[in-house]
Amino acid sequence: MFKTLVFLVIGFTVTDNVLRTIYENFGIIYSGNVWVNWFGVSYLLFFLYTIIRVIFINKNHNLLKKRIASIIFWLLFIGSVYAVFIPFVKGENPF
């Protein structure tokens, strides 16, 4: 539970400081339901954390193996990539 909160806080910080700047540099208005982008960034960070742990640190950890094999894990990854990168395709934040 603690890791979830940490990723949400880091994701909020990255979304508010970094993603806002990137969107505005590409002419995308950073408004609307930006919490969708926030959760997308938070989950992408969680995904990267999990992948790095599996590849480099705990290759044989049972919980990590089950997480990587989970369909929900990958579906959420696809959804988070969509939430973060679709504004570049559409030219606006559709959320």
Side-chain angles (χ1 to χ4, degrees), residues 68-80:
I68 291 292
S70 170
I71 293 172
I72 299 293
F73 178 78
W74 291 99
L75 288 176
L76 287 173
F77 169 69
I78 291 168
S80 65

Side-chain angles (χ1 to χ4, degrees), residues 3 42 48 55 61 74 80 91:
K3 287 182 187 177
S42 297
L48 290 173
I55 293 173
H61 196 269
W74 291 99
S80 65

Side-chain angles (χ1 to χ4, degrees), residues 17-60:
N17 295 325
V18 177
L19 195 61
R20 173 191 301 251
T21 306
I22 292 171
Y23 280 177
E24 289 174 352
N25 285 339
F26 279 91
I28 300 168
I29 298 171
Y30 185 76
S31 66
N33 293 327
V34 293
W35 64 270
V36 176
N37 303 101
W38 168 36
F39 281 111
V41 169
S42 297
Y43 192 79
L44 282 175
L45 292 172
F46 176 73
F47 176 82
L48 290 173
Y49 164 78
T50 301
I51 295 298
I52 289 170
R53 278 198 59 189
V54 166
I55 293 173
F56 296 113
I57 300 171
N58 296 358
K59 294 181 181 180
N60 297 323

